[in-house]
PDB file of all heavy atoms in Angstrom:
ATOM      1  N   ILE R 272       0.882  -1.183   0.007  1.00 94.00           N
ATOM      2  CA  ILE R 272      -0.004   0.002  -0.004  1.00 94.00           C
ATOM      3  C   ILE R 272       0.910   1.220   0.009  1.00 94.00           C
ATOM      4  O   ILE R 272       1.640   1.475   0.968  1.00 94.00           O
ATOM      5  CB  ILE R 272      -0.942   0.001   1.215  1.00 94.00           C
ATOM      6  CG1 ILE R 272      -1.863  -1.212   1.147  1.00 94.00           C
ATOM      7  CG2 ILE R 272      -1.726   1.296   1.276  1.00 94.00           C
ATOM      8  CD1 ILE R 272      -2.814  -1.328   2.319  1.00 94.00           C
ATOM      9  N   CYS R 273       0.890   1.959  -1.100  1.00 94.00           N
ATOM     10  CA  CYS R 273       1.788   3.106  -1.275  1.00 94.00           C
ATOM     11  C   CYS R 273       0.979   4.392  -1.443  1.00 94.00           C
ATOM     12  O   CYS R 273      -0.156   4.380  -1.968  1.00 94.00           O
ATOM     13  CB  CYS R 273       2.684   2.903  -2.510  1.00 94.00           C
ATOM     14  SG  CYS R 273       3.611   1.353  -2.498  1.00 94.00           S
ATOM     15  N   ASP R 274       1.562   5.497  -1.024  1.00 93.00           N
ATOM     16  CA  ASP R 274       0.928   6.801  -1.219  1.00 93.00           C
ATOM     17  C   ASP R 274       2.004   7.858  -1.464  1.00 93.00           C
ATOM     18  O   ASP R 274       3.182   7.640  -1.182  1.00 93.00           O
ATOM     19  CB  ASP R 274       0.043   7.179  -0.013  1.00 93.00           C
ATOM     20  CG  ASP R 274       0.840   7.404   1.260  1.00 93.00           C
ATOM     21  OD1 ASP R 274       1.564   8.414   1.341  1.00 93.00           O
ATOM     22  OD2 ASP R 274       0.761   6.557   2.182  1.00 93.00           O
ATOM     23  N   ASN R 275       1.560   8.999  -2.001  1.00 91.00           N
ATOM     24  CA  ASN R 275       2.488  10.092  -2.271  1.00 91.00           C
ATOM     25  C   ASN R 275       2.336  11.223  -1.249  1.00 91.00           C
ATOM     26  O   ASN R 275       2.446  12.395  -1.588  1.00 91.00           O
ATOM     27  CB  ASN R 275       2.302  10.626  -3.692  1.00 91.00           C
ATOM     28  CG  ASN R 275       0.903  11.201  -3.913  1.00 91.00           C
ATOM     29  OD1 ASN R 275      -0.013  10.939  -3.136  1.00 91.00           O
ATOM     30  ND2 ASN R 275       0.736  11.991  -4.962  1.00 91.00           N
ATOM     31  N   GLY R 276       2.069  10.838  -0.004  1.00 89.00           N
ATOM     32  CA  GLY R 276       1.939  11.801   1.072  1.00 89.00           C
ATOM     33  C   GLY R 276       3.276  12.322   1.533  1.00 89.00           C
ATOM     34  O   GLY R 276       4.303  12.182   0.845  1.00 89.00           O
ATOM     35  N   PRO R 277       3.341  12.872   2.736  1.00 88.00           N
ATOM     36  CA  PRO R 277       4.605  13.478   3.237  1.00 88.00           C
ATOM     37  C   PRO R 277       5.654  12.442   3.622  1.00 88.00           C
ATOM     38  O   PRO R 277       6.797  12.815   3.840  1.00 88.00           O
ATOM     39  CB  PRO R 277       4.138  14.283   4.450  1.00 88.00           C
ATOM     40  CG  PRO R 277       2.905  13.574   4.928  1.00 88.00           C
ATOM     41  CD  PRO R 277       2.222  13.078   3.678  1.00 88.00           C
ATOM     42  N   GLY R 278       5.289  11.162   3.712  1.00 88.00           N
ATOM     43  CA  GLY R 278       6.261  10.145   4.110  1.00 88.00           C
ATOM     44  C   GLY R 278       6.413  10.050   5.618  1.00 88.00           C
ATOM     45  O   GLY R 278       5.791  10.794   6.377  1.00 88.00           O
ATOM     46  N   ILE R 279       7.253   9.132   6.051  1.00 87.00           N
ATOM     47  CA  ILE R 279       7.492   8.893   7.478  1.00 87.00           C
ATOM     48  C   ILE R 279       8.766   9.618   7.897  1.00 87.00           C
ATOM     49  O   ILE R 279       9.806   9.433   7.275  1.00 87.00           O
ATOM     50  CB  ILE R 279       7.638   7.390   7.776  1.00 87.00           C
ATOM     51  CG1 ILE R 279       6.408   6.625   7.235  1.00 87.00           C
ATOM     52  CG2 ILE R 279       7.832   7.157   9.263  1.00 87.00           C
ATOM     53  CD1 ILE R 279       5.113   6.989   7.890  1.00 87.00           C
ATOM     54  N   PRO R 280       8.707  10.440   8.950  1.00 85.00           N
ATOM     55  CA  PRO R 280       9.932  11.093   9.415  1.00 85.00           C
ATOM     56  C   PRO R 280      11.006  10.078   9.803  1.00 85.00           C
ATOM     57  O   PRO R 280      10.697   8.996  10.307  1.00 85.00           O
ATOM     58  CB  PRO R 280       9.452  11.895  10.649  1.00 85.00           C
ATOM     59  CG  PRO R 280       7.979  12.067  10.438  1.00 85.00           C
ATOM     60  CD  PRO R 280       7.527  10.853   9.712  1.00 85.00           C
ATOM     61  N   VAL R 281      12.241  10.446   9.568  1.00 83.00           N
ATOM     62  CA  VAL R 281      13.360   9.519   9.821  1.00 83.00           C
ATOM     63  C   VAL R 281      13.401   9.088  11.285  1.00 83.00           C
ATOM     64  O   VAL R 281      13.635   7.913  11.578  1.00 83.00           O
ATOM     65  CB  VAL R 281      14.689  10.178   9.410  1.00 83.00           C
ATOM     66  CG1 VAL R 281      15.861   9.259   9.764  1.00 83.00           C
ATOM     67  CG2 VAL R 281      14.692  10.496   7.927  1.00 83.00           C
ATOM     68  N   GLU R 282      13.119  10.008  12.195  1.00 82.00           N
ATOM     69  CA  GLU R 282      13.234   9.683  13.623  1.00 82.00           C
ATOM     70  C   GLU R 282      12.145   8.697  14.078  1.00 82.00           C
ATOM     71  O   GLU R 282      12.269   8.112  15.174  1.00 82.00           O
ATOM     72  CB  GLU R 282      13.175  10.952  14.462  1.00 82.00           C
ATOM     73  CG  GLU R 282      11.865  11.743  14.349  1.00 82.00           C
ATOM     74  CD  GLU R 282      11.868  12.726  13.190  1.00 82.00           C
ATOM     75  OE1 GLU R 282      12.799  12.660  12.357  1.00 82.00           O
ATOM     76  OE2 GLU R 282      10.966  13.569  13.124  1.00 82.00           O
ATOM     77  N   GLN R 283      11.111   8.496  13.291  1.00 83.00           N
ATOM     78  CA  GLN R 283      10.035   7.578  13.676  1.00 83.00           C
ATOM     79  C   GLN R 283      10.191   6.185  13.084  1.00 83.00           C
ATOM     80  O   GLN R 283       9.518   5.251  13.511  1.00 83.00           O
ATOM     81  CB  GLN R 283       8.685   8.140  13.240  1.00 83.00           C
ATOM     82  CG  GLN R 283       8.225   9.369  14.003  1.00 83.00           C
ATOM     83  CD  GLN R 283       6.816   9.791  13.630  1.00 83.00           C
ATOM     84  OE1 GLN R 283       6.107   9.080  12.913  1.00 83.00           O
ATOM     85  NE2 GLN R 283       6.392  10.966  14.111  1.00 83.00           N
ATOM     86  N   LYS R 284      11.076   6.003  12.099  1.00 82.00           N
ATOM     87  CA  LYS R 284      11.157   4.750  11.376  1.00 82.00           C
ATOM     88  C   LYS R 284      11.588   3.580  12.254  1.00 82.00           C
ATOM     89  O   LYS R 284      11.102   2.459  12.080  1.00 82.00           O
ATOM     90  CB  LYS R 284      12.103   4.893  10.176  1.00 82.00           C
ATOM     91  CG  LYS R 284      11.533   5.771   9.077  1.00 82.00           C
ATOM     92  CD  LYS R 284      12.459   5.809   7.872  1.00 82.00           C
ATOM     93  CE  LYS R 284      11.843   6.659   6.761  1.00 82.00           C
ATOM     94  NZ  LYS R 284      12.723   6.718   5.567  1.00 82.00           N
ATOM     95  N   ALA R 285      12.484   3.811  13.189  1.00 78.00           N
ATOM     96  CA  ALA R 285      13.011   2.710  14.001  1.00 78.00           C
ATOM     97  C   ALA R 285      11.904   2.087  14.869  1.00 78.00           C
ATOM     98  O   ALA R 285      11.871   0.870  15.059  1.00 78.00           O
ATOM     99  CB  ALA R 285      14.164   3.198  14.872  1.00 78.00           C
ATOM    100  N   ASP R 286      11.009   2.900  15.408  1.00 78.00           N
ATOM    101  CA  ASP R 286       9.958   2.411  16.316  1.00 78.00           C
ATOM    102  C   ASP R 286       8.569   2.545  15.701  1.00 78.00           C
ATOM    103  O   ASP R 286       7.582   2.686  16.422  1.00 78.00           O
ATOM    104  CB  ASP R 286      10.021   3.199  17.649  1.00 78.00           C
ATOM    105  CG  ASP R 286      11.356   3.079  18.332  1.00 78.00           C
ATOM    106  OD1 ASP R 286      11.915   1.981  18.319  1.00 78.00           O
ATOM    107  OD2 ASP R 286      11.834   4.078  18.877  1.00 78.00           O
ATOM    108  N   LEU R 287       8.499   2.458  14.380  1.00 81.00           N
ATOM    109  CA  LEU R 287       7.254   2.770  13.693  1.00 81.00           C
ATOM    110  C   LEU R 287       6.110   1.854  14.101  1.00 81.00           C
ATOM    111  O   LEU R 287       4.955   2.288  14.214  1.00 81.00           O
ATOM    112  CB  LEU R 287       7.485   2.671  12.178  1.00 81.00           C
ATOM    113  CG  LEU R 287       6.333   3.158  11.286  1.00 81.00           C
ATOM    114  CD1 LEU R 287       6.025   4.612  11.534  1.00 81.00           C
ATOM    115  CD2 LEU R 287       6.700   2.929   9.821  1.00 81.00           C
ATOM    116  N   PHE R 288       6.404   0.569  14.359  1.00 80.00           N
ATOM    117  CA  PHE R 288       5.348  -0.397  14.656  1.00 80.00           C
ATOM    118  C   PHE R 288       5.174  -0.630  16.150  1.00 80.00           C
ATOM    119  O   PHE R 288       4.499  -1.575  16.549  1.00 80.00           O
ATOM    120  CB  PHE R 288       5.663  -1.724  13.936  1.00 80.00           C
ATOM    121  CG  PHE R 288       5.615  -1.621  12.445  1.00 80.00           C
ATOM    122  CD1 PHE R 288       6.753  -1.427  11.710  1.00 80.00           C
ATOM    123  CD2 PHE R 288       4.400  -1.693  11.782  1.00 80.00           C
ATOM    124  CE1 PHE R 288       6.713  -1.323  10.333  1.00 80.00           C
ATOM    125  CE2 PHE R 288       4.330  -1.599  10.391  1.00 80.00           C
ATOM    126  CZ  PHE R 288       5.504  -1.403   9.673  1.00 80.00           C
ATOM    127  N   GLN R 289       5.778   0.236  16.977  1.00 76.00           N
ATOM    128  CA  GLN R 289       5.578   0.143  18.419  1.00 76.00           C
ATOM    129  C   GLN R 289       4.343   0.962  18.812  1.00 76.00           C
ATOM    130  O   GLN R 289       4.016   1.969  18.163  1.00 76.00           O
ATOM    131  CB  GLN R 289       6.804   0.684  19.162  1.00 76.00           C
ATOM    132  CG  GLN R 289       8.083  -0.090  18.900  1.00 76.00           C
ATOM    133  CD  GLN R 289       8.027  -1.497  19.448  1.00 76.00           C
ATOM    134  OE1 GLN R 289       7.425  -1.742  20.472  1.00 76.00           O
ATOM    135  NE2 GLN R 289       8.656  -2.425  18.736  1.00 76.00           N
ATOM    136  N   ALA R 290       3.668   0.518  19.874  1.00 71.00           N
ATOM    137  CA  ALA R 290       2.452   1.216  20.312  1.00 71.00           C
ATOM    138  C   ALA R 290       2.764   2.625  20.782  1.00 71.00           C
ATOM    139  O   ALA R 290       3.746   2.844  21.509  1.00 71.00           O
ATOM    140  CB  ALA R 290       1.788   0.421  21.442  1.00 71.00           C
ATOM    141  N   PHE R 291       1.964   3.573  20.351  1.00 65.00           N
ATOM    142  CA  PHE R 291       2.022   4.980  20.762  1.00 65.00           C
ATOM    143  C   PHE R 291       3.315   5.683  20.351  1.00 65.00           C
ATOM    144  O   PHE R 291       3.645   6.754  20.836  1.00 65.00           O
ATOM    145  CB  PHE R 291       1.843   5.128  22.280  1.00 65.00           C
ATOM    146  CG  PHE R 291       0.591   4.500  22.811  1.00 65.00           C
ATOM    147  CD1 PHE R 291       0.657   3.379  23.635  1.00 65.00           C
ATOM    148  CD2 PHE R 291      -0.668   4.998  22.459  1.00 65.00           C
ATOM    149  CE1 PHE R 291      -0.480   2.788  24.116  1.00 65.00           C
ATOM    150  CE2 PHE R 291      -1.822   4.394  22.944  1.00 65.00           C
ATOM    151  CZ  PHE R 291      -1.743   3.292  23.786  1.00 65.00           C
ATOM    152  N   LYS R 292       4.091   5.074  19.422  1.00 62.00           N
ATOM    153  CA  LYS R 292       5.339   5.703  18.969  1.00 62.00           C
ATOM    154  C   LYS R 292       5.095   6.659  17.818  1.00 62.00           C
ATOM    155  O   LYS R 292       5.842   7.594  17.617  1.00 62.00           O
ATOM    156  CB  LYS R 292       6.344   4.627  18.547  1.00 62.00           C
ATOM    157  CG  LYS R 292       6.863   3.774  19.698  1.00 62.00           C
ATOM    158  CD  LYS R 292       7.681   4.593  20.654  1.00 62.00           C
ATOM    159  CE  LYS R 292       8.262   3.715  21.755  1.00 62.00           C
ATOM    160  NZ  LYS R 292       9.102   4.501  22.691  1.00 62.00           N
ATOM    161  N   SER R 293       4.095   6.396  16.996  1.00 58.00           N
ATOM    162  CA  SER R 293       3.769   7.290  15.873  1.00 58.00           C
ATOM    163  C   SER R 293       2.271   7.548  15.905  1.00 58.00           C
ATOM    164  O   SER R 293       1.499   6.693  16.312  1.00 58.00           O
ATOM    165  CB  SER R 293       4.173   6.653  14.543  1.00 58.00           C
ATOM    166  OG  SER R 293       3.458   5.450  14.329  1.00 58.00           O
ATOM    167  N   ARG R 294       1.895   8.726  15.479  1.00 55.00           N
ATOM    168  CA  ARG R 294       0.459   9.076  15.549  1.00 55.00           C
ATOM    169  C   ARG R 294       0.110   9.979  14.368  1.00 55.00           C
ATOM    170  O   ARG R 294       0.699  11.027  14.182  1.00 55.00           O
ATOM    171  CB  ARG R 294       0.189   9.824  16.868  1.00 55.00           C
ATOM    172  CG  ARG R 294      -1.302  10.049  17.138  1.00 55.00           C
ATOM    173  CD  ARG R 294      -1.473  10.931  18.354  1.00 55.00           C
ATOM    174  NE  ARG R 294      -0.929  10.319  19.548  1.00 55.00           N
ATOM    175  CZ  ARG R 294      -1.625   9.533  20.379  1.00 55.00           C
ATOM    176  NH1 ARG R 294      -2.870   9.247  20.102  1.00 55.00           N
ATOM    177  NH2 ARG R 294      -1.050   9.035  21.454  1.00 55.00           N
ATOM    178  N   ARG R 295      -0.832   9.493  13.551  1.00 60.00           N
ATOM    179  CA  ARG R 295      -1.340  10.328  12.456  1.00 60.00           C
ATOM    180  C   ARG R 295      -2.382  11.286  13.012  1.00 60.00           C
ATOM    181  O   ARG R 295      -2.899  11.087  14.136  1.00 60.00           O
ATOM    182  CB  ARG R 295      -1.940   9.457  11.373  1.00 60.00           C
ATOM    183  CG  ARG R 295      -3.179   8.667  11.817  1.00 60.00           C
ATOM    184  CD  ARG R 295      -3.816   7.974  10.637  1.00 60.00           C
ATOM    185  NE  ARG R 295      -4.870   7.052  11.024  1.00 60.00           N
ATOM    186  CZ  ARG R 295      -6.115   7.392  11.309  1.00 60.00           C
ATOM    187  NH1 ARG R 295      -6.462   8.671  11.305  1.00 60.00           N
ATOM    188  NH2 ARG R 295      -7.025   6.495  11.632  1.00 60.00           N
TER     189      ARG R 295
END
């Protein structure tokens, strides 16, 4: 599933799938 949005910030990529680590 791909999109042309703003993307994921670099600082969030390491813990992206952890609970409460990233929030849209």
